[in-house]
Amino acid sequence: MVEERIGYTFQDRSLLERALTRLAYTLEAGLPPEAHMDALATLGDAVINVVVVEVVVMGGAHDKGAISNRKMNLVNMTRLRGLAEDLDLEEYVRWGKGEAAQAVWTSGRVLAECMEALIGAVYLDGGMDAAAGVLRRLGLTESV
């Protein structure tokens, strides 16, 4: 179960379900437009950036360029995709039929977006401390 893997239990299970539901799946299943992950992925991207920048600044960085470089090294598609792969996140996501047939999670940014959606859902459910805790447990910010 994803919650065990990330060390966070959702109070609002619908947020977790939404974070793991692709747009293609919602269209095929006739679900309402707000039932897919896209908005959560956008939110999660912002939350991840805030958490990482806060950790970098609290770690003593004060130069804008150094902070930006450190953030870029920590938060990128490859890192987020790697976190998602470590969680086997693709096994929990509700994919559209075409996505599943093509195994879209094996290339590009798809799994990184799923990871962002998951963090967005954690943020809405438990706030910034919960999201930061998940990112720390997953190893994104532990080496900052």
Side-chain angles (χ1 to χ4, degrees):
M1 182 172 231
V2 174
E3 291 172 305
E4 293 169 6
R5 309 281 309 265
I6 66 172
Y8 180 80
T9 302
F10 281 83
Q11 301 301 310
D12 181 352
R13 309 254 336 134
S14 69
L15 286 169
L16 175 59
E17 187 173 304
R18 181 178 172 196
L20 299 174
T21 303
R22 299 279 295 169
L23 174 60
Y25 181 92
T26 63
L27 295 172
E28 292 168 5
L31 296 174
E34 67 276 5
H36 63 87
M37 67 172 56
D38 290 3
L40 292 177
T42 301
L43 177 61
D45 177 53
V47 169
I48 292 165
N49 283 321
V50 168
V51 168
V52 168
V53 169
E54 180 180 12
V55 168
V56 170
V57 169
M58 296 303 287
H62 57 276
D63 177 71
K64 181 178 177 181
I67 294 167
S68 295
N69 284 336
R70 191 78 175 111
K71 181 183 78 74
M72 283 189 304
N73 289 333
L74 289 167
V75 183
N76 57 54
M77 183 196 68
T78 304
R79 287 287 308 274
L80 294 177
R81 182 176 168 189
L83 294 177
E85 288 171 345
D86 290 346
L87 292 171
D88 298 316
L89 197 56
E90 71 279 0
E91 294 179 17
Y92 302 99
V93 173
R94 298 192 301 178
W95 303 99
K97 291 181 183 108
E99 292 176 319
Q102 296 173 15
V104 296
W105 56 88
T106 60
S107 64
R109 180 164 171 69
V110 175
L111 270 183
E113 289 172 353
C114 293
M115 189 71 225
E116 290 169 344
L118 183 59
I119 296 301
V122 169
Y123 169 76
L124 287 179
D125 192 67
M128 192 61 82
D129 287 343
V134 169
L135 292 169
R136 185 177 55 255
R137 284 188 293 281
L138 295 178
L140 186 68
T141 58
E142 70 180 6
S143 60
V144 176

